[in-house]
Amino acid sequence: MPKDRKIGVAMDFSESSKNALRWAIDNLADKGDTFYIIHALPTSEADPRNSLWLKSGSPLIPLVEFREPETMEKYGVKIDIPVLDMLDTGSRQKEIHVVTKIYWGDAREKLVDAVKSLKLDSIVMGSRGLSALQRIIMGSVSSFVIQQSPCPVTVVKD
C-alpha cells in the first residue's frame, strides 16, 4: 500500500550527502513516496536569471528535467552522474517520485525553510564529521537543522 510520504534529502554532492541519499533510498523509500532533493548554493553563485527564486527557491524540478545538462547549468548545479544514476535507479526500483528544489543562501536556514514550505515528513542528511573546533567555528548544519526542524531529522554518519 502506498505511503505517499514527503522525504527530504539534503544534497551538496559530497560523499557524506551521497551516503545519506543511498541510505534514504535503501531504508525509507516506499512505493508512492516523494523524495525532495534539496540543494543550497551560496547567494553569490545565483545567476541573475534566477533572482526571482532567491527567497523561495527554484520551482520543483522533476528528475527527468533535472537530468538535463541545460537545466543543471541554468540553476548553477554541477552534473554528478553517480547521484543522477542513484536517483534514477531508486525511482524505478522503489517506485518513488523524485523532485529537486534549489535554494540560494545559508544552507542551515534554507534546509529548515524547505522542511517548512514543502511540509516534509522527514529529512535525511549526511554528517561531514567536523571536529569539535570546526563545529564551533563554522557551525554544524545538521545540528542547526535538528534543533530548528519541525519534522524528524536523520543524520547518516559516514
Side-chain angles (χ1 to χ4, degrees):
M1 178 166 198
K3 292 188 179 179
D4 198 28
R5 298 173 299 176
K6 295 180 175 183
I7 299 169
V9 179
M11 176 55 63
D12 64 4
F13 299 99
S14 66
E15 283 307 310
S16 177
S17 67
K18 291 176 189 179
N19 288 339
L21 174 60
R22 190 174 302 108
W23 184 90
I25 291 171
D26 291 345
N27 295 285
L28 296 179
D30 204 0
K31 183 178 181 177
D33 289 345
T34 301
F35 269 45
Y36 291 82
I37 307 304
I38 304 163
H39 183 58
L41 291 165
T43 305
S44 61
E45 293 184 24
D47 186 307
R49 294 177 295 179
N50 297 323
S51 60
L52 175 65
W53 312 118
L54 285 180
K55 285 194 178 211
S56 64
S58 72
L60 293 176
I61 307 165
L63 179 58
V64 67
E65 188 179 327
F66 190 65
R67 286 194 65 81
E68 298 298 322
E70 301 83 28
T71 301
M72 295 185 89
E73 184 180 321
K74 174 183 174 182
Y75 290 108
V77 177
K78 292 181 177 68
I79 296 172
D80 191 306
I81 300 299
V83 168
L84 293 173
D85 288 346
M86 204 180 322
L87 291 170
D88 268 342
T89 302
S91 69
R92 278 186 280 106
Q93 290 180 348
K94 299 281 188 151
E95 299 182 49
I96 60 172
H97 307 284
V98 177
V99 293
T100 300
K101 185 145 175 102
I102 301 166
Y103 291 89
W104 291 269
D106 181 86
R108 297 173 298 184
E109 294 172 3
K110 294 303 178 178
L111 287 169
V112 172
D113 289 350
V115 167
K116 293 176 181 176
S117 66
L118 298 170
K119 296 177 176 49
L120 298 178
D121 296 310
S122 67
I123 185 165
V124 179
M125 54 195 317
S127 170
R128 290 188 302 175
L130 298 177
S131 70
L133 180 59
Q134 288 172 317
R135 276 193 306 274
I136 292 169
I137 294 170
M138 296 174 14
S140 167
V141 173
S142 54
S143 292
F144 184 88
V145 174
I146 288 168
Q147 292 170 359
Q148 301 296 320
S149 175
C151 74
V153 179
T154 302
V155 178
V156 179
K157 293 183 76 166
D158 289 339

